[in-house]
Amino acid sequence: MARRTGRRPGNPDTREAILGAAREAFAERGFDAASIRAIATSAGVDPALVHHYFGTKEQLFKACMNFPIDPAEVFPKLLADGPDGLGERLVRTFLAIWDSPAGVPAVALMRSALTNEWTARLMREFVATQLIRYVLPRLDMDPAEAPLRASLVATQMAGLAMIRYVLKLQPLASAPPEVVVAAIGPTVQRYVTGDIGQRE
Amino acid sequence: MARRTGRRPGNPDTREAILGAAREAFAERGFDAASIRAIATSAGVDPALVHHYFGTKEQLFKACMNFPIDPAEVFPKLLADGPDGLGERLVRTFLAIWDSPAGVPAVALMRSALTNEWTARLMREFVATQLIRYVLPRLDMDPAEAPLRASLVATQMAGLAMIRYVLKLQPLASAPPEVVVAAIGPTVQRYVTGDIGQRE
């Protein structure tokens, strides 16, 4: 019999069975099409138990990803002051998270997404759903351009994480946050609100 | 133009022994301090054999990295027209390489650099030496700013590779190269020649 974790409720085997089924469902069918009922069936438990252990479907998704931050908390704060200065705020917040203890699971998650097609799929789905839920409704953005803008932001943020925290290329790896914010903030700002050369 | 032969010369075991010793030496001591003589000793062969199999120390380094392009060939072309438009040319060339068959070993190399500290060290050393050898002498860049500018370019290019070719986040993963060039070229240009907010 597996040992109970002090912090989390429920039987750890059941929790793991639910998480395994949920990861498979989210990666295969996507967030919207994956149902708690189907996840519960595949894990051999009652749907009520899934809700009891993990809360909403979205909370279950976050638990699957072991994501280092809660987008429901971070994004509304970032976006509260509107699009002006968003690029700098985003880079500053990102650095604060990665420079904190949360940076350790973040590096692990990034490595996993890069080496495991299944985590990559989960990550794509996670980015897309979080974007639709928390970012787009708060920014006055042309919906036709939003997905490209979001993936451009992703290139810059993922690359920053990779070079600063994983490859640790100097001098960026030890540059003070404000140097990074001044250099990279304007890039992110342009990807969100500036001219990105769309000519279609 | 680098010579390409269908078969590589020499005993494969000896080649592998030399490559193993060279990877260790470059990762531990760096490119400059690693000597062909020490690599040969550690591989149990004559230094002349290292030269015979791999050519110069730099060619040996490239063989160790299994790098998808030859920087000695690519960078001078990119930089021949000076800094104007360099950002767009760099992104265009980068996409052409990653969209070609050379993109497959490039993805493998990136995964390896992200999951293996030893490959990460080799990669850092490789970026630094190639930069000093091929890029800085051809750009009229403030030497005090050059390393930060180079690592900023690295964040954008590494993130582009990661999002487009490894995570395959849409719509960037299937965007036509010219859309990507128009969006990301100006970022790279700014990192190379523009105001990056240095206030020291």
Side-chain angles (χ1 to χ4, degrees):
Chain A
M1 180 93 184
R3 187 169 50 89
R4 259 181 88 103
T5 71
R7 209 157 55 88
R8 287 170 164 167
N11 180 320
D13 292 345
T14 309
R15 279 185 56 92
E16 278 312 310
I18 295 170
L19 282 176
R23 286 194 187 105
E24 207 174 303
F26 289 136
E28 273 182 12
R29 274 164 266 162
F31 179 77
D32 288 328
S35 77
I36 293 280
R37 178 182 301 270
I39 290 167
T41 303
S42 148
V45 302
D46 191 88
L49 199 64
V50 177
H51 288 298
H52 174 70
Y53 281 3
F54 294 99
T56 65
K57 184 163 84 165
E58 202 190 339
Q59 288 169 319
L60 175 60
F61 197 7
K62 279 177 210 159
C64 286
M65 291 291 296
N66 198 15
F67 210 67
I69 59 153
D70 184 353
E73 198 181 310
V74 172
F75 282 123
K77 267 190 223 163
L78 271 175
L79 299 167
D81 296 328
D84 288 353
L86 178 60
E88 297 207 346
R89 290 202 301 283
L90 211 148
V91 176
R92 190 175 292 119
T93 304
F94 186 87
L95 293 174
I97 293 163
W98 283 77
D99 286 334
S100 80
V104 178
V107 169
L109 179 61
M110 168 169 269
R111 286 188 163 135
S112 172
L114 286 169
T115 48
N116 184 319
E117 171 53 29
W118 185 77
T119 314
R121 258 199 249 179
L122 269 184
M123 179 81 99
R124 278 196 294 274
E125 186 64 17
F126 191 74
V127 170
T129 56
Q130 298 303 305
L131 197 74
I132 287 166
R133 188 170 293 245
Y134 296 112
V135 181
L136 296 190
R138 289 180 172 82
L139 284 179
D140 185 23
M141 199 184 259
D142 179 349
E145 281 189 342
L148 180 60
R149 289 185 182 277
S151 51
L152 288 168
V153 172
T155 67
Q156 180 60 86
M157 303 312 275
L160 171 56
M162 199 161 129
I163 296 297
R164 183 172 166 100
Y165 300 102
V166 184
L167 276 188
K168 300 193 177 82
L169 198 64
Q170 294 297 358
L172 197 82
S174 49
E178 282 312 306
V179 169
V180 182
V181 168
I184 292 184
T187 298
V188 175
Q189 186 70 43
R190 182 173 146 263
Y191 290 161
V192 177
T193 60
D195 174 15
I196 53 166
Q198 286 285 73
R199 282 168 295 203
E200 288 95 317
Chain B
M1 188 77 152
R3 170 176 58 93
R4 293 262 178 241
T5 57
R7 261 183 94 243
R8 287 175 164 168
N11 180 322
D13 291 346
T14 309
R15 280 185 56 90
E16 278 312 308
I18 295 170
L19 284 176
R23 287 195 186 103
E24 208 174 302
F26 289 136
E28 273 182 12
R29 274 165 266 162
F31 178 77
D32 288 329
S35 76
I36 293 280
R37 177 181 303 270
I39 289 167
T41 302
S42 147
V45 301
D46 191 88
L49 200 63
V50 178
H51 288 300
H52 175 70
Y53 281 2
F54 294 100
T56 64
K57 185 162 83 165
E58 203 191 338
Q59 288 169 318
L60 175 61
F61 196 7
K62 279 177 209 160
C64 286
M65 291 291 294
N66 197 15
F67 211 66
I69 59 154
D70 183 354
E73 199 182 312
V74 172
F75 281 124
K77 268 190 223 164
L78 270 175
L79 300 167
D81 296 328
D84 287 354
L86 178 60
E88 297 207 347
R89 289 201 302 282
L90 210 149
V91 176
R92 191 175 292 118
T93 303
F94 186 87
L95 292 174
I97 292 163
W98 284 77
D99 287 334
S100 79
V104 178
V107 169
L109 179 61
M110 168 169 267
R111 286 188 164 135
S112 172
L114 286 169
T115 49
N116 183 319
E117 172 53 31
W118 185 77
T119 314
R121 255 198 252 180
L122 269 184
M123 178 80 100
R124 277 196 296 273
E125 185 65 17
F126 191 73
V127 169
T129 56
Q130 298 303 306
L131 196 73
I132 288 166
R133 188 170 293 246
Y134 296 112
V135 181
L136 296 190
R138 289 180 172 83
L139 283 179
D140 184 23
M141 200 184 258
D142 179 349
E145 282 191 342
L148 180 59
R149 290 186 181 276
S151 52
L152 289 168
V153 172
T155 67
Q156 180 59 86
M157 303 312 274
L160 172 56
M162 199 162 131
I163 297 297
R164 182 171 165 100
Y165 299 103
V166 184
L167 276 189
K168 299 193 177 81
L169 198 64
Q170 294 296 357
L172 196 81
S174 48
E178 282 312 305
V179 169
V180 181
V181 169
I184 292 183
T187 298
V188 175
Q189 186 70 43
R190 182 174 146 263
Y191 290 161
V192 177
T193 59
D195 174 16
I196 53 167
Q198 286 286 73
R199 281 167 296 203
E200 287 94 320

